[in-house]
Amino acid sequence: MTAETTPPAARAPAGPRQLARQRRRASLVRFWNRYRSHRAGLLGLALLALFALAALTAPLTVGPDVASVTEAPGRPMESPSGDFPLGTDRFGRDLLGLLIWGTRVSLLIGLLAALLSVVIGALVGITAGHFRGVYDTVMMRVTDWFLVMPTLVLAIALATVMSRSLGTIVLAIGVTSWPTTARLVRAQTLAVESRPYIERAKALGGGHRHVMSRHVLPNVMPLVLAQATLIISSSILAEATLAFLGLGDPTVVSWGGLLQEAREAGAVSSGDWWYLVPPGIAIAVVALAFTLCGRAVESVLNPRLGVAR
């Protein structure tokens, strides 16, 4: 005698939130499947993972005492050796430890400055493309003024008149690098608002806030994300430039600060390459990594660009 099998219970219909989570999960899976086909993007992601790991584990691997001048373990300007793989600086500090510790500051400034830049650019671009008229004209003229002005000169001017701190560097870079994002987001906003479902949303009573937050913002976010990855690399380069010019925070260790100290110590004229080369290579590699990731993200989100893999 065989037991009768009962049909499985019918599943309850998924709610709106569950459907939204399923769509987001499926979108992330599709994004990753496309992203991992870009070998250059994977290389950039691997490099960024190494830098992020070094930054997160720096308090455990080198500790904050590595920046102490009074507790320097070596003699000033020692060449690379077994005890000091990258040599020592003019105070006798381990340059390898300083390089690892400086990763924290350089990446933090790059991320915060890029965040500030894309927030300003997205806000200006979305509002200008949505409201148009006089507001659009005024904001685009302001954007054009920032575009024609040298970004580095504006950042140097702000860093000069304000106190020397990490917040000043972030503010100086962020408020001078947003115009490109604003222009791109405005163009995308105009394209989105010309679609029929925007007219339907307005006809059903959707206000300005609803249209911009529920319809425009989700459509411009991929562009903002791709732009953010590219701005991070330029922000790190700008921070290194400001620190090299002596406009950074002298109380913290960064890659640009190491280059500035090497210049002051006369490493160029004396041929102490270990003081100059490692920070310069670190800046170049992390900027390249963010650029590779940005190009891959842009290619995934907009396949029509046809970026070479």
Side-chain angles (χ1 to χ4, degrees):
M1 183 177 179
T2 59
E4 295 181 359
T5 59
T6 58
R11 294 183 179 180
R17 294 185 178 180
Q18 185 177 359
L19 288 175
R21 286 195 296 268
Q22 291 175 356
R23 292 193 186 100
R24 286 195 293 266
R25 192 180 303 113
S27 298
L28 290 176
V29 171
R30 288 195 301 270
F31 174 84
W32 172 246
N33 289 334
R34 295 174 183 173
Y35 183 91
R36 66 182 181 179
S37 64
H38 294 261
R39 290 173 291 181
L42 289 178
L43 175 60
L45 189 61
L47 292 174
L48 291 181
L50 291 177
F51 281 106
L53 180 63
L56 293 174
T57 59
L60 301 176
T61 56
V62 296
D65 293 337
V66 71
S68 175
V69 177
T70 59
E71 300 179 6
R75 295 174 299 176
M77 307 300 287
E78 285 190 49
S79 60
S81 61
D83 295 331
F84 306 105
L86 294 181
T88 61
D89 67 352
R90 58 176 175 169
F91 302 111
R93 298 178 297 181
D94 182 15
L95 278 174
L96 177 59
L98 292 174
L99 188 70
I100 295 174
W101 190 257
T103 306
R104 297 164 56 87
V105 175
S106 296
L107 290 182
L108 179 63
I109 290 178
L111 291 172
L112 293 179
L115 177 62
L116 178 60
S117 175
V118 297
V119 167
I120 297 175
L123 181 62
V124 172
I126 291 176
T127 54
H130 176 78
F131 291 107
R132 306 183 189 182
V134 177
Y135 177 80
D136 180 26
T137 302
V138 173
M139 295 308 299
M140 287 302 100
R141 297 298 77 76
V142 174
T143 303
D144 293 339
W145 183 84
F146 274 94
L147 280 174
V148 298
M149 289 293 293
T151 302
L152 183 59
V153 174
L154 291 176
I156 291 174
L158 288 175
T160 301
V161 299
M162 300 176 68
S163 61
R164 296 173 62 183
S165 64
L166 294 183
T168 298
I169 298 298
V170 171
L171 185 64
I173 298 174
V175 301
T176 57
S177 58
W178 58 267
T180 302
T181 304
R183 275 290 183 182
L184 293 174
V185 171
R186 175 183 175 273
Q188 184 68 12
T189 300
L190 292 175
V192 171
E193 295 219 352
S194 64
R195 297 172 184 173
Y197 67 85
I198 299 294
E199 294 295 332
R200 288 197 295 268
K202 293 179 180 179
L204 292 174
H208 297 297
R209 182 178 178 181
H210 174 81
V211 171
M212 288 188 290
S213 62
R214 295 299 183 88
H215 298 290
V216 177
L217 183 59
N219 283 280
V220 302
M221 277 304 297
L223 178 63
V224 172
L225 176 61
Q227 187 68 12
T229 57
L230 298 176
I231 292 178
I232 292 175
S233 61
S234 61
S235 299
I236 293 175
L237 291 173
E239 183 277 330
T241 303
L242 293 176
F244 180 75
L245 295 175
L247 299 175
D249 189 346
T251 62
V252 299
V253 178
S254 67
W255 293 336
L258 291 177
L259 290 176
Q260 193 265 346
E261 290 182 1
R263 179 180 63 84
E264 290 184 350
V268 178
S269 58
S270 60
D272 298 330
W273 58 267
W274 61 87
Y275 209 160
L276 290 166
V277 174
I281 291 179
I283 294 170
V285 171
V286 75
L288 176 64
F290 274 112
T291 301
L292 292 177
C293 290
R295 286 174 58 86
V297 170
E298 195 173 15
S299 178
V300 170
L301 299 179
N302 189 2
R304 290 176 297 177
L305 293 177
V307 178
R309 298 180 181 180

